[in-house]
Amino acid sequence: MTSFICRRISSALKTNYTRFHTFKRHYSYEGDGKTTVTILNHEVDSPLMIDSYSRTGFRLNNGMSVVGPLALFPKSALGWDVSSAADITPESLSAFMILEPKIEILVIGVGDHGQQVSSETKKFIQKKGINLEILPTEHACTTFNFLNVEKRYVAAALIPPTFQKLGQNEEAVEARIKLKKERNIL
């Protein structure tokens, strides 16, 4: 009897071993032969995101350009009537306080590094139970995009920067322009 059981177990192990240990290789380019990449801010039903900013305003992922300061919500954008961080008051932020459902986080882009929002305004927002992020606009745009993609109840109040850091390509172009000007003057 024992030998019969051993042969049955041995036979079952051999059958299962070949069944479980034979495998087919799968490559990443099988199927239709293409790997797809989704760019979040180009999706049809994606929330509004900031594609770029400049000293004059903002370009959103839906192709809309906004000149000047911007009040940005997950699905809509409005012009915002402030010109500097000193103009950010409880009254200028009143549109953000009346939203339903109430926003969790308000991201304020103050323009350039070193700009401040008054302590009175900060206390006003905190009393309303809204978390507050005060950042230079460069970082505020990124923070808003990140939180919005995560489907958080977020809004942004953004002032365009007066100073904009140039990228490598822009620096090279500016250097060439400066060199051409020097050559024409000499």
Side-chain angles (χ1 to χ4, degrees), residues 64-79:
M64 184 171 74
S65 292
V66 178
V67 177
L70 169 68
L72 188 59
F73 306 96
K75 297 282 186 185
S76 60
L78 305 169

Side-chain angles (χ1 to χ4, degrees), residues 28-35:
S28 61
Y29 293 109
E30 284 187 1
D32 63 1
K34 306 235 185 222
T35 299

Side-chain angles (χ1 to χ4, degrees), residues 106-165:
L106 176 61
V107 179
I108 298 179
V110 292
D112 301 317
H113 290 273
Q115 299 293 319
Q116 297 294 320
V117 173
S118 72
S119 59
E120 172 195 343
T121 302
K122 291 177 191 176
K123 288 177 187 172
F124 171 77
I125 300 293
Q126 290 169 345
K127 282 182 185 176
K128 296 289 185 177
I130 297 172
N131 294 313
L132 187 60
E133 287 290 330
I134 301 172
L135 303 163
T137 298
E138 172 184 5
H139 301 297
C141 291
T142 306
T143 302
F144 174 82
N145 286 347
F146 179 79
L147 293 170
N148 202 12
V149 166
E150 286 193 333
K151 303 208 183 307
R152 303 282 299 272
Y153 292 119
V154 63
L158 304 167
I159 300 171
T162 55
F163 173 79
Q164 190 172 359
K165 184 171 57 175

Side-chain angles (χ1 to χ4, degrees), residues 3 12 15 17 23 44 48 50-51 53 62 92 95 106 122 125 127-130 133-134 141-142 145-146 174 176 181:
S3 70
T15 309
Y17 180 80
F23 59 90
V44 175
L48 282 178
I50 303 157
D51 274 350
Y53 64 92
N62 64 356
S92 70
L106 176 61
K122 291 177 191 176
I125 300 293
K127 282 182 185 176
K128 296 289 185 177
I130 297 172
E133 287 290 330
I134 301 172
C141 291
T142 306
N145 286 347
F146 179 79
E174 293 235 345
R176 277 189 244 133
K181 284 180 182 179

